[in-house]
Amino acid sequence: MKAIGVLTSGGDSPGMNAAIRAVVRYGVKNGLRVFGIERGYCGLIDGAIKEMNFASVAGIMEKGGTILRSSRCGEFLTKEGREKAAKNLAMLGIEGLVVIGGEGSLTGSVVFHKEFGVPVVGIPGTIDNDIAYTDMCIGVDTCLNTVVDAIQKLKDTATSHERAFIVEVMGRESGYIALMSAIATGSEAAIIPEVPVNLDQLAARLLEERKRGKLNCIIVVAEGAAKAEDVARKISAKIGYETRISLLGHIQRGGSPTAFDRLLATRMGVRAVQALLDGEKCVTTVLSAGKIEVMDTEKILSTKKQLDLSLYEISMILS
Ligand code: F6P
């Protein structure tokens, strides 16, 4: 193998730049030409591809977002789009790809590999932490720290005004961010897609806590479970004290990556290039029991990542 490409696709996540840096530098050190593909699969189709070197990834480790930019590329869902992408790769002599992204991006990598035989190694980069077989995806730790910081600030004002706050966080299918941030902030409850919520019981508990003298109340809601507005309306009618909502939105995807995310991204970037050099065809890097390994991407995608619901129990016991 003489040349590889790297792209970031789907929702960005902090640490993607550290992964790009590792792919480029480890690739170059191993005698490969490394091409950066802009705007995910869209750049592959449009030919927005440029050669990178040691210097082009200098100083990017600490930056949020992705210097290659990202997209959710509709055209790559079509055969014609993927054909254009394959032609562009062949024209530049690119023989292998590293795809950094979430579930949709990894699914695209499998389809592309099957159709055109191009070896593709995925790196799980998504704040949702919804990729099976990997303990963590790139960006999750930074996102959680952002959410925890925001909730701590909301707690200050919630206490001053003796209010309840309903905080909506990302996670369409997964309650990971909501549950983990609720535990890490000692919030009263996490409302997540995985567990049905009984608002009557929750309201009764909140009233009990208020009687005991608790001045604030924080409920974290995953966007896929309910709308903060609806929860606030229903809960405030039951508990009878002032309730406000806060939607954290896309700030959860930004910011300088934590040390954990930089290290995870670096280790996964190196492992991804090594996998291509080793002749792997369609695998994804995973963090498993502290080690970075590769696993068949289709196997990963065919398994739904389960949230550890014992942590849900713990959140209920401790709040
Ligand atoms: O997939 C990551 C994610 O951040 C989800 O948690 C969220 O629902 C979605 O992306 C938001 O996507 P967009 O940036 O397209 O609004």
Side-chain angles (χ1 to χ4, degrees):
M1 184 167 289
K2 291 195 177 68
I4 62 170
V6 56
L7 62 84
T8 49
S9 162
D12 61 349
S13 65
M16 281 184 163
N17 282 327
I20 295 167
R21 175 180 176 272
V23 168
V24 171
R25 291 196 168 174
Y26 192 73
V28 169
K29 276 274 163 105
N30 279 279
L32 296 171
R33 295 179 73 191
V34 184
F35 291 85
I37 298 149
E38 292 180 346
R39 291 181 291 103
Y41 291 118
C42 285
L44 204 53
I45 293 169
D46 300 342
I49 303 171
K50 59 180 185 205
E51 188 158 359
M52 301 180 86
N53 56 37
F54 244 66
S56 50
V57 290
I60 67 167
M61 173 104 85
E62 61 270 32
K63 290 193 166 62
T66 155
I67 59 160
L68 290 175
R69 304 197 293 285
S70 192
S71 67
R72 302 188 197 278
C73 184
E75 205 182 342
F76 198 71
L77 298 175
T78 68
K79 185 84 195 270
E80 299 72 45
R82 293 192 295 275
E83 267 165 7
K84 280 192 212 163
K87 270 189 199 144
N88 284 332
L89 285 185
M91 230 157 58
L92 290 163
I94 298 174
E95 297 158 293
L97 267 187
V98 176
V99 170
I100 307 167
E103 198 189 350
S105 310
L106 298 182
T107 303
S109 80
V110 173
V111 174
F112 192 60
H113 168 70
K114 283 191 172 170
E115 277 174 355
F116 301 100
V118 179
V120 189
V121 179
I123 296 181
T126 166
I127 62 163
D128 293 342
N129 212 24
D130 58 351
I131 305 288
Y133 294 105
T134 187
D135 295 339
M136 289 292 267
C137 299
I138 294 171
V140 175
D141 187 62
T142 309
C143 165
L144 273 181
N145 279 286
T146 301
V147 173
V148 165
D149 181 57
I151 292 176
Q152 285 314 141
K153 286 172 175 153
L154 290 171
K155 259 193 176 182
D156 292 343
T157 176
T159 307
S160 305
H161 291 266
E162 299 176 36
R163 282 173 173 160
F165 264 84
I166 316 298
V167 186
E168 188 176 304
V169 299
M170 283 187 169
R172 279 179 295 213
E173 311 276 333
S174 163
Y176 185 89
I177 300 170
L179 180 57
M180 298 307 152
S181 61
I183 293 173
T185 53
S187 293
E188 275 53 50
I191 299 180
I192 57 177
E194 292 84 349
V195 183
V197 64
N198 181 328
L199 289 182
D200 287 324
Q201 273 174 15
L202 177 56
R205 189 152 64 79
L206 298 181
L207 284 171
E208 199 51 45
E209 284 171 13
R210 177 120 316 189
K211 265 197 223 147
R212 286 206 318 261
K214 182 124 205 240
L215 295 178
N216 65 54
C217 161
I218 306 283
I219 297 168
V220 189
V221 188
E223 62 179 338
K227 284 199 171 314
E229 219 177 293
D230 295 340
V231 175
R233 203 184 51 252
K234 289 179 189 156
I235 276 284
S236 69
K238 291 180 200 295
I239 60 180
Y241 55 90
E242 271 194 318
T243 304
R244 294 285 187 272
I245 63 166
S246 181
L247 313 183
L248 298 191
H250 288 77
I251 66 161
Q252 294 166 88
R253 290 227 302 250
S256 179
T258 57
F260 180 90
D261 275 329
R262 295 178 197 198
L263 292 169
L264 180 67
T266 299
R267 293 169 74 199
M268 284 189 168
V270 165
R271 189 68 188 82
V273 175
Q274 192 57 53
L276 287 173
L277 291 169
D278 292 345
E280 294 283 5
K281 298 292 179 229
C282 192
V283 292
T284 290
T285 59
V286 294
L287 174 70
S288 173
K291 291 204 174 72
I292 305 293
E293 286 163 6
V294 290
M295 188 175 274
D296 183 70
T297 307
E298 262 194 297
K299 180 176 173 185
I300 290 175
L301 292 171
S302 64
T303 310
K304 184 166 169 45
K305 180 155 183 167
Q306 300 297 331
L307 193 58
D308 179 358
L309 289 182
S310 69
L311 286 168
Y312 186 81
E313 296 304 319
I314 287 173
S315 79
M316 298 293 279
I317 293 166
L318 299 184
S319 70

